[in-house]
Amino acid sequence: MNIVVKRAAETADVVVMGAGIIGLCNALMYAKQGLKVVVIDNLVHNKKKSFKVGESLLSHSNVFLRTMGELDEYARKSHPKLGIWFTYGMEGEETFDDKTEWALSYQQDWFNHMPDTLQYRATFHEKQIVRPEAEAFQLERLRTYTNVTILDTALVKDVTIYDDDRLHEIEWVCRETKETGLTRSKWVIDSAGRRRMLAKKFNHATGFGDDFQTTALWAQFDHVPDEVFGDTWKYTYYSGAESRRDQHTCHLWGDGYWIWVIRLKDGRISIGITFDQKKAPQGKTPKDQYWDIINRYPLLTRFLKEENMLEFSMYKDVQYTTDTFVSAKRYGIVGDAATNVDAYYSQGISMSLMTSFHISNIVYKDVRENELDTEYIDLMNRNLKEDWLIIRNIIKEKYTSAIADNRFFILSHLLDNTILSSGLNERWYITRLLTETKCNPANETQLHKKLRSKLRRNLYHSAALSMNIVKPKTARKIQGYLQRKMGERARWRINNGVKTPKIKLLWPPLPKLFKLPFSGRRELIDITGKELEIKHAKFFLPMPNDISHFPFRIIVPILLGQFMWAYTYDAWSTNYKKLMKFLRLQGNVQQSNTLNK
């Protein structure tokens, strides 16, 4: 018979529920700020080894993971990543040569010519990380802080949130001894994943109000050496320089689904599928569905063997959200505990870390200065809601039949790039802030306070995209409208037999979009511009002490101008086709009437 003992309560400034990569980043951030932190998660007795998902370290999450998450040393030894690569039409195919492709690709030489400092690594050096290894590394770093208590055999049973100045109560049970305990804390951060304790307890959990729902299936394999990625995976620029698709986060699109291909160190690889539930693959089990899609790709089946599968997992219902990310009652909800939309562009982890940064500002000011910034709380909740809707707009149309239209594939990603590049200045601000202050506001100068103030207002996709010209909500509505109209035109072209040429575009600053109207009857056009030489690329690198880097300031107007030109051509061209079809139909009707007379 187990004896249950109630442990006396201990107190903390912050309790972090959950010790995944997001929870550990939160705990490390508060530890650096000198706050008293308690982390609660059943790490010891969760014996199932999990390789997890979310291995792609993008520039949006890179700065947070390398600084507040202390993963810089680990990331430097991880598998290199040269960007992101998107391809449509690879089912049953052996080559990428005649397929529509969009990519953001960097030359390895660029990194070799950058200063090898945390500031530049955190801004530009993307990697592919092995999640459990990264989390183990973070956990060991967290154990070095004397102001942190880690309850690593505990599971949270209940949380009591008080409206007044009383400390919240977090009740937990030790899975080893069955002992129960109580921790009191001024703030509670829920990063315990899809259990969504706080979102459900306080009725914040919600959906998006439509029938669009996706399922994700993924696996990790070993015994995948470099040799299996031969010349087929290479792309050659005009200059003769080569880039390898497998050194990027590679995305393969099909009808109602997409696949990610992420190479990891030591011959491991992560291959995942996300599909629209209305277009589910064949199979009685999730694993059958997974192989139904994988088996359509000869390039994958030649090296993916079930006997080399290290783990298989699924999320049945990916799409959900919350109406509150941080509450004036002194709790925050981050990671999968709050919102999940899609793994596309790895925005889940990026958005979660950005949310965590904002919440940490509010927590620090409340704990250290006893001032609860309710204006910041309201701003956060409004803007983050718009941010997640922007991410959902990015992916939703791509799951429709429009994805088969070559022009839609490119234009949709052009718009995505405009949105995701809109925060470059803010990314540089936060890199400087976190690297120079070591993530602790106590180390801030007046310059750092100014940067933090700017980030408070502008470190959101919706705010950066709006450029302070329109409200973030308006920017999101415009973006959704543009995506929707492109999708409608693409579906009309497909349904009416209007073919567009296949397109290749590896994005440099000046893609050759002017070629679009002059493609004629060609099957394939390459509108990739000339790749930047190192001497020119240096122009785009900020200096260490730059506050506002000129290329970063002008990137949104340039990208938006390029996209709107292409969007206008797309609208004009399709409407012209519609008019010609209408006139032909009218002519046929008149001719028929004449013959009938």
Side-chain angles (χ1 to χ4, degrees):
M1 178 178 178
N2 291 318
I3 299 174
V4 179
V5 180
K6 187 94 169 185
R7 259 180 59 171
E10 58 181 313
T11 61
D13 296 315
V14 184
V15 163
V16 177
M17 303 191 308
I21 196 167
I22 301 298
L24 290 167
C25 280
N26 274 265
L28 284 161
M29 171 65 93
Y30 294 118
K32 293 173 193 295
Q33 296 175 351
L35 305 187
K36 187 176 180 182
V37 184
V38 173
V39 180
I40 305 175
D41 200 349
N42 182 26
L43 300 174
V44 173
H45 296 88
N46 184 9
K47 293 186 181 297
K48 180 185 176 184
K49 185 178 181 180
S50 176
F51 294 92
K52 298 191 176 182
V53 71
E55 304 92 346
S56 180
L57 197 159
L58 265 75
S59 53
H60 297 85
S61 54
N62 193 20
V63 58
F64 299 108
L65 291 172
R66 286 185 184 259
T67 55
M68 72 189 221
E70 299 205 8
L71 280 175
D72 182 55
E73 180 184 342
Y74 173 79
R76 297 183 77 177
K77 302 173 184 177
S78 297
H79 196 280
K81 173 182 174 180
L82 298 182
I84 48 178
W85 203 290
F86 310 89
T87 307
Y88 175 81
M90 288 299 296
E91 281 194 13
E93 298 293 329
E94 296 278 356
T95 176
F96 292 89
D97 290 348
D98 59 347
K99 307 299 182 294
T100 288
E101 296 189 283
W102 154 264
L104 284 169
S105 185
Y106 312 102
Q107 298 177 47
Q108 184 60 51
D109 282 349
W110 292 15
F111 302 118
N112 297 336
H113 284 77
M114 288 181 193
D116 188 19
T117 65
L118 176 58
Q119 190 175 9
Y120 285 90
R121 292 193 299 271
T123 307
F124 299 105
H125 287 229
E126 300 179 8
K127 295 285 186 174
Q128 317 281 33
I129 62 174
V130 179
R131 278 282 298 277
E133 291 181 4
E135 290 170 4
F137 187 91
Q138 288 181 298
L139 187 61
E140 289 307 305
R141 293 294 307 136
L142 190 62
R143 292 188 192 277
T144 66
Y145 288 86
T146 58
N147 55 328
V148 176
T149 300
I150 305 173
L151 304 178
D152 56 7
T153 63
L155 181 68
V156 175
K157 291 179 62 179
D158 197 13
V159 178
T160 301
I161 300 292
Y162 292 105
D163 293 340
D164 50 32
D165 291 334
R166 284 179 291 175
L167 298 180
H168 305 322
E169 296 180 347
I170 301 90
E171 186 178 357
W172 49 266
V173 60
C174 174
R175 301 306 296 271
E176 183 176 79
T177 66
K178 307 305 178 185
E179 173 189 15
T180 63
L182 194 69
T183 300
R184 292 192 175 99
S185 177
K186 190 168 188 178
W187 277 86
V188 178
I189 306 298
D190 185 358
S191 60
R194 290 165 68 92
R195 185 182 179 192
R196 308 190 72 198
M197 177 178 278
L198 293 188
K200 292 177 179 178
K201 184 179 182 69
F202 299 110
N203 297 316
H204 298 313
T206 184
F208 288 96
D210 57 34
D211 64 350
F212 175 57
Q213 185 57 266
T214 55
T215 291
L217 310 171
W218 70 90
Q220 191 170 131
F221 300 81
D222 63 5
H223 297 97
V224 183
D226 288 343
E227 299 80 69
V228 302
F229 299 94
D231 291 343
T232 301
W233 291 80
K234 291 181 180 179
Y235 174 86
T236 304
Y237 292 88
Y238 291 112
S239 66
E242 292 182 341
S243 186
R244 293 178 58 105
R245 294 169 176 89
D246 60 288
Q247 296 295 333
H248 300 67
T249 301
C250 194
H251 305 68
L252 306 175
W253 270 101
D255 181 21
Y257 72 89
W258 66 278
I259 301 173
W260 73 74
V261 179
I262 299 176
R263 292 191 62 192
L264 305 169
K265 67 176 186 176
D266 300 327
R268 284 174 286 182
I269 194 167
S270 171
I271 307 281
I273 298 164
T274 303
F275 62 84
D276 185 343
Q277 291 181 358
K278 295 190 293 293
K279 298 181 179 181
Q282 298 296 311
K284 293 182 179 180
T285 68
K287 189 175 284 189
D288 290 338
Q289 291 179 311
Y290 179 83
W291 285 109
D292 175 59
I293 289 182
I294 294 298
N295 287 332
R296 304 175 194 179
Y297 290 81
L299 280 177
L300 300 180
T301 55
R302 67 175 55 167
F303 60 80
L304 292 184
K305 308 299 179 185
E306 188 153 10
E307 60 266 26
N308 295 331
M309 184 183 285
L310 299 172
E311 183 181 25
F312 177 83
S313 300
M314 73 172 293
Y315 278 171
K316 183 179 179 182
D317 298 317
V318 174
Q319 311 279 324
Y320 60 82
T321 188
T322 181
D323 61 14
T324 300
F325 297 90
V326 61
S327 170
K329 295 180 180 180
R330 295 185 172 88
Y331 60 84
I333 310 173
V334 297
D336 286 354
T339 299
N340 200 354
V341 168
D342 203 87
Y344 209 53
Y345 293 113
S346 299
Q347 283 301 298
I349 191 168
S350 300
M351 290 283 292
S352 299
L353 292 168
M354 184 174 70
T355 301
S356 300
F357 168 78
H358 284 301
I359 295 175
S360 75
N361 293 338
I362 295 168
V363 171
Y364 184 87
K365 191 170 186 179
D366 183 47
V367 173
R368 290 298 191 207
E369 303 174 20
N370 201 31
E371 181 181 343
L372 186 62
D373 194 339
T374 55
E375 182 182 346
Y376 195 170
I377 289 172
D378 291 341
L379 176 71
M380 255 196 74
N381 286 325
R382 287 197 309 271
N383 284 0
L384 286 172
K385 174 185 176 182
E386 300 306 325
D387 280 9
W388 279 109
L389 290 173
I390 282 175
I391 300 304
R392 202 162 188 264
N393 286 342
I394 280 175
I395 61 102
K396 192 174 179 181
E397 284 291 333
K398 294 182 179 66
Y399 280 95
T400 72
S401 59
I403 197 68
D405 181 83
N406 300 303
R407 196 189 300 157
F408 169 84
F409 190 86
I410 296 298
L411 265 61
S412 180
H413 286 101
L414 276 174
L415 180 55
D416 298 349
N417 187 40
T418 301
I419 295 161
L420 298 178
S421 299
S422 61
L424 281 174
N425 243 345
E426 285 71 24
R427 200 181 310 158
W428 186 247
Y429 292 160
I430 198 165
T431 303
R432 286 203 58 186
L433 177 67
L434 296 180
T435 55
E436 293 174 12
T437 66
K438 298 182 179 179
C439 303
N440 189 349
N443 299 329
E444 288 181 359
T445 65
Q446 285 303 117
L447 170 62
H448 298 129
K449 293 181 188 298
K450 181 180 178 181
L451 292 178
R452 190 179 292 274
S453 178
K454 287 179 177 290
L455 292 166
R456 177 186 187 273
R457 298 189 306 270
N458 297 324
L459 187 63
Y460 308 93
H461 289 314
S462 51
L465 181 64
S466 69
M467 297 182 290
N468 296 316
I469 297 173
V470 297
K471 293 181 179 180
K473 184 176 182 178
T474 303
R476 184 264 300 171
K477 287 184 174 180
I478 293 172
Q479 175 244 358
Y481 172 82
L482 294 173
Q483 287 279 13
R484 188 170 63 255
K485 296 305 290 185
M486 286 191 295
E488 290 174 0
R489 291 196 291 268
R491 286 187 288 276
W492 183 89
R493 290 194 293 268
I494 291 170
N495 294 335
N496 288 274
V498 178
K499 292 185 178 180
T500 55
K502 295 171 183 175
I503 304 171
K504 289 193 183 295
L505 173 54
L506 271 69
W507 188 83
L510 296 174
K512 299 180 179 180
L513 294 171
F514 62 86
K515 286 187 175 182
L516 288 176
F518 305 106
S519 57
R521 296 183 179 274
R522 280 183 286 178
E523 291 290 321
L524 173 71
I525 58 172
D526 192 332
I527 58 176
T528 299
K530 183 179 179 181
E531 69 270 28
L532 287 173
E533 297 179 20
I534 297 299
K535 62 181 180 180
H536 297 138
K538 287 182 178 180
F539 169 74
F540 292 92
L541 290 178
M543 299 299 292
N545 294 323
D546 279 354
I547 299 299
S548 183
H549 187 46
F550 177 71
F552 289 179
R553 291 202 310 271
I554 63 172
I555 192 67
V556 174
I558 289 175
L559 294 179
L560 193 58
Q562 291 177 350
F563 165 75
M564 289 308 302
W565 184 92
Y567 178 90
T568 301
Y569 165 71
D570 181 61
W572 175 86
S573 173
T574 305
N575 288 333
Y576 175 78
K577 297 287 186 183
K578 287 181 178 180
L579 176 61
M580 291 297 99
K581 181 176 182 180
F582 173 78
L583 292 176
R584 283 195 299 271
L585 289 173
Q586 289 297 108
N588 290 339
V589 169
Q590 291 178 3
Q591 185 178 14
S592 177
N593 290 338
T594 301
L595 292 174
N596 289 335
K597 290 179 180 179

